[in-house]
Amino acid sequence: MSQAYAKKSVLWDWLTTVDHKKIGILYLAAGGFFFALGGLEAMLMRIQLMFPELGFVSEQTFNELLTMHGTTMIFLAAMPLLFGFMNYIVPLQIGARDVAFPFLNSLGFWLFLAGGILLNLSWFLGGAPDAGWTAYTPLSSAYSGTGIDYYVLGLQISGAGTLIAGINFLVTIINMRAPGMSMMRMPLFTWSSFVASALILFAFPALTIGLLLLMLERLFGATYFAVDMGGNVVIWQHLFWIFGHPEVYILILPAFGIFSEVLATFSKKRLFGYSAMVFATLIIGFLGFMVWAHHMFTVGIGPVANAIFAVATMAIAVPTGIKIFNWLFTMWGGRIQFTTANLFAIGFIPSFVMGGVTGVMLATSAANYQFHDTYFVVAHFHYVIIGGVVLGLFAGAFYWWPRMFGYKLNETLGKWFFWLFLFGFHLTFFVQHFVGLMGMPRRVASYLPGQGLDGLNLISSVGAFFMAVAFLLFVWNVIVSVKNKAEADPWDGRTLEWGIPSPTPEYNFAQTPLVRELDALWYEKMHGNGKLKAAEPLDDIHMPNGSILPVIMSIGLFIASFGLIYHVHPVTIIGLLITFGCMFVRSIKEDHGYHIHKEDIQKEEGAG
């Protein structure tokens, strides 16, 4: 039965949707909420560190804020926000009507949300996790409070959703490209999403195993990390960083893809060195996976291992440098438009290079003994993540907002936002390099006066306020720009997502496009009639049905987690029965989807 005309409430529609575009928007909404939450946690920490020996929050609360800020920003904000863009844009860029597994796509989102909510409920149910976002053992296995149980189970559920999403993107990009779109004609954002998804496939199982061992140790008395029982605490560090280092590249590579799209579009030029950019992305992905032990130079893995991982880490600077130069050459001689999206892309280049330079310093294993666990590492990490990923997210937001929501964000407000945020960012983190070099350890709730740290910490906290105000300006921009309706191709775009009507039709493309060259839409503008060529006659389009099962399955695991945390095993069994029951129903229920008829498509395309 067709659901195309079934009357559904708005809430039910969003709860049951398997449309990649709506799921992309759900990822953006949830990720934006967690981004604001993580930012609030950071602000509370910066207030505490504004002055020496300030008692704004207790040491225990500071530890919880520290842990939750890192965990939230990495797992619940940066990744979901990137998944939001990947969900919405990648199928459009490859000329597909959906992702390969729409049901799993929905399940991935609801698992992420269930895990995120579970983790944050710990604030109200006995205390948040307090062992740092890395949750090093034995601190996390033997000495921390119940918050770590929320950490373990929340990240397990959320991580399962991420793994599902990664596999889905891999299959989608391999199998569902439009006719003529070879791998070497894919836009850079799709390429970087592809490599990031491959990293997810290999990296997340290590985290899953680590969390499973930690869960067994905390909840069932296993002794994997208990040294007096023959365990080894370094196992956790290996497992965590086999996931943790590729995670940086899982975040940064899609951001690189966004910058490539934005810089080419607003320079009115083809991306310089496309092939080199693709191979640099692949090499960064490979090397990024192989250098996890540079986080463990001071653990005692030996000088030979330290040297090998130091050299491998420094080697990443080569493909990254290729990318930087290619972006600069893309702008060279171009007709550059200084839109807000492009300002974020241009601002990213020097910011990220600074993070890269301190990365090479940290990769020098002998020097790393001095930098390790000081604010120098905090400064480096934030220069890479904010200077790369967050600036990329904002560039992507301003660039793709008209495609996703049908209206343009206000450019004047956008530019105020950009300058305030960039100024605040550098003010906050540049001085932290010097705070670190002066010996201030990270993860501490206070410091003594008279050590030369007072003024620099105050400057850093003031910078954080600039960033917070800038973010509020962005939120205001989203609200007041609603009436600023945009046409289908407001930036004179180059790739397929700009070749369809606005708002984006449910079926994406009335006819699957024929891709004749890299930057398919631009090619048709220059060498065709300006419209995408069709690879098939207009016909009925098959679409998948929505389903509420992903929501119920996620609720089942959410309930089971409470049973495990509080050792109430009947609750665990009920939760698991709900989840497995849904899997059973999904397995036996025949669902053939529905068709959007040709006449309705003609009517909608005519209206569009």
Side-chain angles (χ1 to χ4, degrees):
M1 174 187 165
S2 170
Q3 286 194 354
Y5 308 107
K7 201 77 176 169
K8 291 188 283 189
S9 75
V10 173
L11 179 62
W12 183 256
D13 185 33
W14 284 88
L15 284 174
T16 59
T17 188
V18 294
D19 182 348
H20 72 95
K21 298 181 288 296
K22 288 184 177 171
I23 291 172
I25 291 171
L26 287 172
Y27 267 116
L28 280 190
F33 169 75
F34 285 121
F35 184 83
L37 196 60
L40 179 65
E41 288 157 358
M43 289 307 300
L44 295 175
M45 283 191 290
R46 281 316 318 171
I47 292 172
Q48 166 67 17
L49 293 172
M50 273 181 94
F51 303 104
E53 298 188 282
L54 197 65
F56 181 69
V57 294
S58 68
E59 287 81 358
Q60 174 63 22
T61 305
F62 189 89
N63 286 345
E64 293 172 3
L65 288 169
L66 180 88
T67 304
M68 288 298 285
H69 168 69
T71 309
T72 301
M73 283 303 198
I74 295 291
F75 292 98
L76 307 179
M79 283 190 63
L81 288 170
L82 287 167
F83 273 176
F85 291 129
M86 287 160 71
N87 252 294
Y88 202 106
I89 301 299
V90 166
L92 298 180
Q93 282 197 334
I94 62 172
R97 293 213 167 89
D98 207 329
V99 292
F101 307 113
F103 179 89
L104 285 183
N105 200 23
S106 169
L107 180 61
F109 168 75
W110 291 108
L111 284 175
F112 140 69
L113 188 63
I117 293 172
L118 179 71
L119 185 60
N120 277 282
L121 281 178
S122 61
W123 283 113
F124 311 102
L125 299 170
D130 56 356
W133 82 281
T134 53
Y136 276 0
T137 55
L139 178 60
S140 59
S141 56
Y143 302 110
S144 286
T146 55
I148 287 292
D149 297 327
Y150 285 91
Y151 172 95
V152 168
L153 289 157
L155 290 193
Q156 283 284 44
I157 297 173
S158 190
T162 305
L163 190 55
I164 286 171
I167 293 169
N168 209 347
F169 283 118
L170 281 177
V171 179
T172 301
I173 294 170
I174 290 172
N175 286 327
M176 297 180 69
R177 300 190 310 277
M181 179 164 282
S182 62
M183 294 293 276
M184 292 308 283
R185 285 182 182 170
M186 291 197 313
L188 245 293
F189 179 65
T190 300
W191 252 117
S192 52
S193 300
F194 178 74
V195 177
S197 299
L199 288 177
I200 288 172
L201 179 65
F202 291 109
F204 265 75
L207 176 68
T208 303
I209 295 297
L211 290 170
L212 177 69
L213 299 185
L214 189 55
M215 182 185 82
L216 292 174
E217 180 130 340
R218 287 187 60 88
L219 301 178
F220 298 101
T223 56
Y224 298 105
F225 309 114
V227 176
D228 52 346
M229 301 293 285
N232 187 340
V233 293
V234 181
I235 292 173
W236 169 263
Q237 293 197 35
H238 277 295
L239 288 170
F240 186 86
W241 288 117
I242 287 173
F243 146 78
H245 195 73
E247 171 69 10
V248 176
Y249 296 91
I250 291 167
L251 298 177
I252 198 66
L253 286 178
F256 282 178
I258 294 171
F259 294 127
S260 300
E261 304 291 332
V262 169
L263 287 168
T265 300
F266 294 114
S267 298
K268 297 296 171 203
K269 276 180 68 187
R270 181 173 169 162
L271 186 69
F272 186 88
Y274 171 83
S275 302
M277 292 293 260
V278 170
F279 286 108
T281 305
L282 289 166
I283 293 168
I284 290 172
F286 175 75
L287 289 176
F289 195 78
M290 303 302 292
V291 299
W292 79 90
H294 72 210
H295 293 270
M296 300 162 63
F297 282 152
T298 58
V299 170
I301 55 177
V304 174
N306 278 1
I308 291 170
F309 282 99
V311 171
T313 303
M314 291 181 197
I316 298 178
V318 177
T320 309
I322 290 171
K323 279 183 166 289
I324 297 284
F325 280 109
N326 281 346
W327 285 318
L328 293 174
F329 285 129
T330 302
M331 289 190 286
W332 184 271
R335 286 180 288 125
I336 301 173
Q337 294 172 294
F338 292 98
T339 59
T340 307
N342 205 24
L343 284 177
F344 274 107
I346 296 169
F348 142 81
I349 293 175
S351 306
F352 188 79
V353 167
M354 289 172 71
V357 168
T358 52
V360 174
M361 292 170 71
L362 283 162
T364 310
S365 56
N368 187 281
Y369 277 79
Q370 297 301 315
F371 303 137
H372 195 79
D373 271 342
T374 72
Y375 260 81
F376 190 86
V377 178
V378 178
H380 158 73
F381 183 75
H382 284 85
Y383 259 86
V384 172
I385 297 297
I386 298 181
V389 181
V390 175
L391 295 190
L393 286 167
F394 288 135
F398 277 86
Y399 181 57
W400 280 314
W401 204 270
R403 168 50 53 200
M404 299 178 78
F405 298 100
Y407 69 93
K408 280 171 77 172
L409 294 173
N410 183 287
E411 281 290 308
T412 308
L413 283 174
K415 286 169 184 170
W416 271 102
F417 162 52
F418 166 74
W419 288 112
L420 268 179
F421 190 86
L422 194 75
F423 178 71
F425 159 61
H426 285 285
L427 198 63
T428 305
F429 295 105
F430 187 72
V431 296
Q432 288 187 6
H433 291 103
F434 301 101
V435 173
L437 291 174
M438 291 165 71
M440 179 167 166
R442 57 176 171 157
R443 309 188 186 101
V444 292
S446 188
Y447 51 93
L448 294 172
Q451 296 181 314
L453 302 172
D454 309 18
L456 294 177
N457 269 298
L458 179 61
I459 291 170
S460 184
S461 296
V462 170
F465 277 103
F466 273 98
M467 294 170 76
V469 171
F471 181 71
L472 292 176
L473 203 58
F474 174 71
V475 175
W476 177 246
N477 196 348
V478 168
I479 295 167
V480 299
S481 300
V482 172
K483 292 179 182 174
N484 193 15
K485 298 293 179 197
E487 62 266 37
D489 183 16
W491 311 119
D492 197 14
R494 308 178 70 84
T495 41
L496 290 180
E497 75 267 29
W498 302 110
I500 50 179
S502 179
T504 311
E506 184 183 359
Y507 44 79
N508 294 352
F509 297 91
Q511 294 164 278
T512 302
L514 177 67
V515 176
R516 301 200 290 170
E517 186 49 87
L518 178 68
D519 289 348
L521 179 61
W522 189 259
Y523 182 83
E524 299 301 337
K525 287 176 182 176
M526 295 296 112
H527 302 283
N529 62 1
K531 293 183 178 175
L532 297 175
K533 282 199 172 303
E536 61 178 7
L538 185 65
D539 204 350
D540 294 352
I541 296 174
H542 178 258
M543 301 295 290
N545 278 325
S547 174
I548 193 66
L549 290 178
V551 177
I552 302 175
M553 287 169 78
S554 305
I555 291 173
L557 288 178
F558 186 80
I559 293 170
S561 299
F562 275 107
L564 284 170
I565 290 168
Y566 294 104
H567 302 277
V568 185
H569 297 307
V571 174
T572 307
I573 292 168
I574 289 169
L576 291 177
L577 281 175
I578 292 171
T579 299
F580 285 114
C582 289
M583 292 167 70
F584 180 72
V585 170
R586 175 69 184 171
S587 302
I588 62 167
K589 186 185 171 198
E590 290 194 16
D591 184 355
H592 300 296
Y594 66 97
H595 284 87
I596 302 175
H597 299 299
K598 186 167 74 174
E599 295 73 23
D600 298 319
I601 299 167
Q602 285 171 326
K603 206 180 296 176
E604 187 162 339
E605 291 291 307

